[in-house]
Amino acid sequence: GPDGEDTELKGARKNSSSMLTLFTKAPLPRGINSKLRKEYGYPDKIFPNKLVLRTTINAVDFNKIKGNKGFIITSKGNRIEILPAKKNSNIQNPYWLKEDFENSIKTKYKKYLLYVKANNKGSRENEEFHFNEAYLLEGFDFEKFSENIKKGILKIDIRLGLYADGSNHDHGTAIRINPDKLDTCFKIHEYKVL
């Protein structure tokens, strides 16, 4: 659910070029991420005998995995699917029901998204932040969300890594966006410099 009663809070450093995670949602069928790791993963740098799969996918072009064509997102009827360039007939395509995406959005963004940006200095435990820019967005629009997937504005990140001890870790399949495109997902938005 949201961080506040009806408001989801997100923050970022002003000089960051990172995408923003709107929400995480594991694809169906259950357990498909383990199969993707096994089939399409590549050796981890620290634990070369273990496979990881970290990749960003959009609906405009196939991405690259291990130097080859990887995945693309497609919308089919009531589903959003991840299609591999090279299909393994033993593995079903990962997918989400559009209804499940819509329910996740309604749960996470009950009313508002408050996105704040900060100047920062220092690093690690000595890092300091001065929050001085805020965006208040209201009315998450699922039709715009679907269109933004088709246009490649929204991306899907598969984040199958490892814990520090080398055991498998699924950091959550994330629906992500460049922050400067946030207003394309909401009906109402306000901007304040503090």
Short mmCIF file of all heavy atoms in Angstrom, two decimals, residues 25-62:
data_model
loop_
_atom_site.label_atom_id
_atom_site.label_comp_id
_atom_site.label_asym_id
_atom_site.label_seq_id
_atom_site.Cartn_x
_atom_site.Cartn_y
_atom_site.Cartn_z
N LYS A 25 5.62 -6.24 -9.16
CA LYS A 25 4.57 -7.26 -9.31
C LYS A 25 5.20 -8.46 -10.01
O LYS A 25 5.68 -8.36 -11.15
CB LYS A 25 3.42 -6.70 -10.14
CG LYS A 25 2.27 -7.65 -10.35
CD LYS A 25 1.31 -7.54 -9.20
CE LYS A 25 0.10 -8.43 -9.41
NZ LYS A 25 -0.47 -8.83 -8.13
N ALA A 26 5.23 -9.60 -9.34
CA ALA A 26 5.80 -10.81 -9.93
C ALA A 26 4.92 -11.27 -11.10
O ALA A 26 3.69 -11.23 -11.02
CB ALA A 26 5.90 -11.91 -8.89
N PRO A 27 5.56 -11.71 -12.18
CA PRO A 27 4.76 -12.22 -13.31
C PRO A 27 4.20 -13.59 -13.01
O PRO A 27 4.67 -14.30 -12.12
CB PRO A 27 5.77 -12.26 -14.46
CG PRO A 27 7.10 -12.41 -13.81
CD PRO A 27 6.99 -11.72 -12.47
N LEU A 28 3.21 -13.97 -13.78
CA LEU A 28 2.63 -15.30 -13.76
C LEU A 28 3.24 -16.10 -14.91
O LEU A 28 3.77 -15.50 -15.84
CB LEU A 28 1.11 -15.20 -13.91
CG LEU A 28 0.37 -14.43 -12.80
CD1 LEU A 28 -1.07 -14.17 -13.20
CD2 LEU A 28 0.46 -15.19 -11.49
N PRO A 29 3.19 -17.42 -14.88
CA PRO A 29 2.70 -18.26 -13.79
C PRO A 29 3.68 -18.24 -12.61
O PRO A 29 4.84 -17.87 -12.77
CB PRO A 29 2.62 -19.65 -14.42
CG PRO A 29 3.62 -19.63 -15.52
CD PRO A 29 3.66 -18.22 -16.02
N ARG A 30 3.19 -18.63 -11.48
CA ARG A 30 3.99 -18.63 -10.26
C ARG A 30 5.29 -19.40 -10.48
O ARG A 30 5.30 -20.47 -11.07
CB ARG A 30 3.17 -19.27 -9.14
CG ARG A 30 3.76 -19.14 -7.78
CD ARG A 30 2.81 -19.78 -6.76
NE ARG A 30 3.40 -19.78 -5.46
CZ ARG A 30 3.16 -18.86 -4.54
NH1 ARG A 30 2.35 -17.86 -4.81
NH2 ARG A 30 3.74 -18.93 -3.37
N GLY A 31 6.40 -18.83 -10.05
CA GLY A 31 7.70 -19.48 -10.16
C GLY A 31 8.41 -19.26 -11.50
O GLY A 31 9.51 -19.78 -11.71
N ILE A 32 7.82 -18.45 -12.38
CA ILE A 32 8.42 -18.25 -13.70
C ILE A 32 9.77 -17.55 -13.63
O ILE A 32 10.65 -17.82 -14.45
CB ILE A 32 7.45 -17.48 -14.64
CG1 ILE A 32 7.95 -17.49 -16.10
CG2 ILE A 32 7.24 -16.06 -14.18
CD1 ILE A 32 7.95 -18.85 -16.74
N ASN A 33 9.99 -16.69 -12.65
CA ASN A 33 11.27 -15.98 -12.56
C ASN A 33 12.44 -16.95 -12.37
O ASN A 33 13.53 -16.75 -12.92
CB ASN A 33 11.25 -14.93 -11.46
CG ASN A 33 10.64 -13.62 -11.93
OD1 ASN A 33 10.44 -13.42 -13.12
ND2 ASN A 33 10.35 -12.74 -11.00
N SER A 34 12.23 -18.04 -11.60
CA SER A 34 13.29 -19.04 -11.42
C SER A 34 13.64 -19.71 -12.74
O SER A 34 14.81 -19.96 -13.04
CB SER A 34 12.86 -20.10 -10.40
OG SER A 34 12.70 -19.51 -9.14
N LYS A 35 12.62 -19.96 -13.55
CA LYS A 35 12.86 -20.58 -14.86
C LYS A 35 13.57 -19.61 -15.80
O LYS A 35 14.44 -20.02 -16.58
CB LYS A 35 11.53 -21.04 -15.47
CG LYS A 35 10.89 -22.17 -14.70
CD LYS A 35 9.55 -22.57 -15.29
CE LYS A 35 8.93 -23.69 -14.46
NZ LYS A 35 7.60 -24.07 -14.97
N LEU A 36 13.22 -18.32 -15.73
CA LEU A 36 13.90 -17.32 -16.56
C LEU A 36 15.38 -17.23 -16.18
O LEU A 36 16.25 -17.13 -17.05
CB LEU A 36 13.24 -15.95 -16.40
CG LEU A 36 11.85 -15.77 -16.98
CD1 LEU A 36 11.30 -14.39 -16.63
CD2 LEU A 36 11.83 -15.98 -18.48
N ARG A 37 15.66 -17.23 -14.88
CA ARG A 37 17.06 -17.18 -14.41
C ARG A 37 17.84 -18.35 -14.99
O ARG A 37 18.95 -18.18 -15.52
CB ARG A 37 17.11 -17.21 -12.88
CG ARG A 37 18.52 -17.11 -12.31
CD ARG A 37 18.57 -17.52 -10.84
NE ARG A 37 17.79 -16.70 -9.96
CZ ARG A 37 18.27 -15.68 -9.24
NH1 ARG A 37 19.55 -15.36 -9.33
NH2 ARG A 37 17.49 -15.01 -8.43
N LYS A 38 17.27 -19.53 -14.91
CA LYS A 38 17.96 -20.75 -15.37
C LYS A 38 18.18 -20.73 -16.89
O LYS A 38 19.24 -21.11 -17.37
CB LYS A 38 17.14 -21.98 -14.96
CG LYS A 38 17.83 -23.27 -15.22
CD LYS A 38 17.02 -24.44 -14.68
CE LYS A 38 17.72 -25.75 -15.00
NZ LYS A 38 16.94 -26.90 -14.54
N GLU A 39 17.18 -20.29 -17.64
CA GLU A 39 17.25 -20.34 -19.11
C GLU A 39 18.03 -19.17 -19.72
O GLU A 39 18.78 -19.34 -20.67
CB GLU A 39 15.82 -20.35 -19.68
CG GLU A 39 15.77 -20.41 -21.20
CD GLU A 39 16.30 -21.70 -21.79
OE1 GLU A 39 16.36 -22.73 -21.07
OE2 GLU A 39 16.68 -21.69 -22.98
N TYR A 40 17.83 -17.95 -19.18
CA TYR A 40 18.38 -16.75 -19.82
C TYR A 40 19.44 -16.04 -18.97
O TYR A 40 20.02 -15.05 -19.42
CB TYR A 40 17.25 -15.76 -20.13
CG TYR A 40 16.21 -16.33 -21.05
CD1 TYR A 40 14.98 -16.76 -20.56
CD2 TYR A 40 16.44 -16.44 -22.42
CE1 TYR A 40 14.01 -17.29 -21.40
CE2 TYR A 40 15.48 -16.97 -23.27
CZ TYR A 40 14.27 -17.39 -22.75
OH TYR A 40 13.32 -17.92 -23.59
N GLY A 41 19.69 -16.53 -17.76
CA GLY A 41 20.63 -15.87 -16.87
C GLY A 41 22.07 -15.98 -17.35
O GLY A 41 22.40 -16.74 -18.26
N TYR A 42 22.93 -15.23 -16.70
CA TYR A 42 24.36 -15.20 -17.04
C TYR A 42 25.14 -15.22 -15.72
O TYR A 42 24.61 -14.86 -14.67
CB TYR A 42 24.70 -13.95 -17.87
CG TYR A 42 24.14 -12.68 -17.32
CD1 TYR A 42 24.83 -11.94 -16.37
CD2 TYR A 42 22.88 -12.23 -17.72
CE1 TYR A 42 24.30 -10.78 -15.84
CE2 TYR A 42 22.34 -11.06 -17.19
CZ TYR A 42 23.06 -10.35 -16.26
OH TYR A 42 22.52 -9.20 -15.72
N PRO A 43 26.42 -15.65 -15.75
CA PRO A 43 27.18 -15.79 -14.50
C PRO A 43 27.38 -14.45 -13.77
O PRO A 43 27.66 -13.44 -14.40
CB PRO A 43 28.53 -16.35 -14.97
CG PRO A 43 28.25 -16.96 -16.30
CD PRO A 43 27.15 -16.14 -16.91
N ASP A 44 27.23 -14.50 -12.48
CA ASP A 44 27.48 -13.34 -11.62
C ASP A 44 28.99 -13.06 -11.58
O ASP A 44 29.81 -13.99 -11.69
CB ASP A 44 26.96 -13.63 -10.21
CG ASP A 44 27.14 -12.46 -9.28
OD1 ASP A 44 26.46 -11.44 -9.46
OD2 ASP A 44 27.99 -12.57 -8.37
N LYS A 45 29.37 -11.79 -11.42
CA LYS A 45 30.80 -11.42 -11.41
C LYS A 45 31.52 -11.95 -10.17
O LYS A 45 32.68 -12.35 -10.24
CB LYS A 45 30.95 -9.90 -11.49
CG LYS A 45 30.59 -9.35 -12.85
CD LYS A 45 30.68 -7.85 -12.89
CE LYS A 45 30.23 -7.34 -14.26
NZ LYS A 45 30.12 -5.89 -14.31
N ILE A 46 30.84 -11.95 -9.02
CA ILE A 46 31.47 -12.40 -7.77
C ILE A 46 31.33 -13.91 -7.58
O ILE A 46 32.25 -14.57 -7.09
CB ILE A 46 30.89 -11.63 -6.56
CG1 ILE A 46 31.20 -10.14 -6.72
CG2 ILE A 46 31.45 -12.16 -5.24
CD1 ILE A 46 30.51 -9.24 -5.72
N PHE A 47 30.17 -14.45 -7.95
CA PHE A 47 29.90 -15.89 -7.82
C PHE A 47 29.65 -16.45 -9.23
O PHE A 47 28.51 -16.65 -9.64
CB PHE A 47 28.67 -16.14 -6.94
CG PHE A 47 28.83 -15.66 -5.52
CD1 PHE A 47 28.34 -14.42 -5.14
CD2 PHE A 47 29.45 -16.45 -4.57
CE1 PHE A 47 28.46 -13.96 -3.84
CE2 PHE A 47 29.58 -16.01 -3.27
CZ PHE A 47 29.10 -14.76 -2.90
N PRO A 48 30.71 -16.70 -10.01
CA PRO A 48 30.54 -17.09 -11.41
C PRO A 48 29.81 -18.42 -11.64
O PRO A 48 29.35 -18.68 -12.74
CB PRO A 48 31.97 -17.16 -11.96
CG PRO A 48 32.88 -17.08 -10.80
CD PRO A 48 32.11 -16.57 -9.63
N ASN A 49 29.68 -19.22 -10.59
CA ASN A 49 28.93 -20.48 -10.73
C ASN A 49 27.43 -20.28 -10.49
O ASN A 49 26.65 -21.22 -10.57
CB ASN A 49 29.48 -21.55 -9.78
CG ASN A 49 29.37 -21.12 -8.31
OD1 ASN A 49 29.38 -19.93 -8.00
ND2 ASN A 49 29.27 -22.10 -7.42
N LYS A 50 27.02 -19.03 -10.21
CA LYS A 50 25.61 -18.70 -9.98
C LYS A 50 25.11 -17.80 -11.12
O LYS A 50 25.86 -16.95 -11.61
CB LYS A 50 25.43 -17.95 -8.66
CG LYS A 50 25.83 -18.73 -7.44
CD LYS A 50 24.74 -19.65 -7.03
CE LYS A 50 24.98 -20.21 -5.65
NZ LYS A 50 23.77 -20.67 -5.04
N LEU A 51 23.84 -17.98 -11.49
CA LEU A 51 23.25 -17.17 -12.56
C LEU A 51 22.43 -16.02 -12.01
O LEU A 51 21.72 -16.16 -11.01
CB LEU A 51 22.35 -18.04 -13.44
CG LEU A 51 23.03 -19.17 -14.21
CD1 LEU A 51 21.99 -19.99 -14.97
CD2 LEU A 51 24.09 -18.63 -15.15
N VAL A 52 22.55 -14.88 -12.68
CA VAL A 52 21.74 -13.70 -12.38
C VAL A 52 21.06 -13.26 -13.68
O VAL A 52 21.48 -13.64 -14.77
CB VAL A 52 22.60 -12.54 -11.80
CG1 VAL A 52 23.20 -12.93 -10.46
CG2 VAL A 52 23.67 -12.10 -12.77
N LEU A 53 20.00 -12.49 -13.53
CA LEU A 53 19.32 -11.93 -14.70
C LEU A 53 18.79 -10.56 -14.31
O LEU A 53 17.82 -10.44 -13.58
CB LEU A 53 18.18 -12.84 -15.17
CG LEU A 53 17.40 -12.36 -16.40
CD1 LEU A 53 18.32 -12.17 -17.60
CD2 LEU A 53 16.28 -13.33 -16.73
N ARG A 54 19.50 -9.55 -14.77
CA ARG A 54 19.09 -8.16 -14.52
C ARG A 54 18.93 -7.52 -15.90
O ARG A 54 19.91 -7.37 -16.63
CB ARG A 54 20.15 -7.40 -13.71
CG ARG A 54 20.37 -7.98 -12.32
CD ARG A 54 21.44 -7.17 -11.57
NE ARG A 54 21.81 -7.83 -10.34
CZ ARG A 54 22.87 -8.61 -10.19
NH1 ARG A 54 23.68 -8.84 -11.20
NH2 ARG A 54 23.14 -9.16 -9.03
N THR A 55 17.70 -7.17 -16.23
CA THR A 55 17.47 -6.64 -17.57
C THR A 55 16.24 -5.74 -17.60
O THR A 55 15.29 -5.98 -16.86
CB THR A 55 17.34 -7.79 -18.59
OG1 THR A 55 17.35 -7.28 -19.91
CG2 THR A 55 16.11 -8.64 -18.36
N THR A 56 16.31 -4.70 -18.42
CA THR A 56 15.20 -3.76 -18.59
C THR A 56 14.56 -4.01 -19.95
O THR A 56 15.25 -4.09 -20.97
CB THR A 56 15.71 -2.31 -18.52
OG1 THR A 56 16.35 -2.11 -17.25
CG2 THR A 56 14.57 -1.31 -18.68
N ILE A 57 13.23 -4.13 -19.94
CA ILE A 57 12.48 -4.51 -21.15
C ILE A 57 11.46 -3.43 -21.47
O ILE A 57 10.83 -2.88 -20.57
CB ILE A 57 11.74 -5.85 -20.91
CG1 ILE A 57 12.69 -6.91 -20.34
CG2 ILE A 57 11.09 -6.35 -22.20
CD1 ILE A 57 11.98 -8.09 -19.73
N ASN A 58 11.29 -3.15 -22.76
CA ASN A 58 10.24 -2.22 -23.18
C ASN A 58 9.42 -2.85 -24.30
O ASN A 58 9.71 -3.98 -24.72
CB ASN A 58 10.83 -0.87 -23.59
CG ASN A 58 11.64 -0.94 -24.85
OD1 ASN A 58 11.17 -1.38 -25.90
ND2 ASN A 58 12.89 -0.50 -24.78
N ALA A 59 8.43 -2.14 -24.79
CA ALA A 59 7.53 -2.67 -25.82
C ALA A 59 7.89 -2.16 -27.21
O ALA A 59 7.18 -2.44 -28.17
CB ALA A 59 6.09 -2.29 -25.49
N VAL A 60 9.01 -1.43 -27.33
CA VAL A 60 9.38 -0.85 -28.62
C VAL A 60 10.37 -1.72 -29.37
O VAL A 60 10.21 -2.00 -30.55
CB VAL A 60 9.93 0.58 -28.43
CG1 VAL A 60 10.36 1.18 -29.75
CG2 VAL A 60 8.90 1.46 -27.75
N ASP A 61 11.46 -2.17 -28.69
CA ASP A 61 12.43 -3.06 -29.33
C ASP A 61 12.88 -4.13 -28.36
O ASP A 61 12.78 -3.96 -27.15
CB ASP A 61 13.75 -2.37 -29.73
CG ASP A 61 13.69 -0.89 -29.84
OD1 ASP A 61 12.88 -0.48 -30.57
OD2 ASP A 61 14.46 -0.16 -29.19
N PHE A 62 13.41 -5.20 -28.94
CA PHE A 62 14.01 -6.24 -28.11
C PHE A 62 15.23 -5.67 -27.41
O PHE A 62 15.99 -4.91 -27.99
CB PHE A 62 14.46 -7.43 -28.98
CG PHE A 62 13.34 -8.36 -29.35
CD1 PHE A 62 12.66 -8.21 -30.54
CD2 PHE A 62 12.97 -9.39 -28.50
CE1 PHE A 62 11.63 -9.06 -30.89
CE2 PHE A 62 11.94 -10.25 -28.83
CZ PHE A 62 11.26 -10.08 -30.03
#
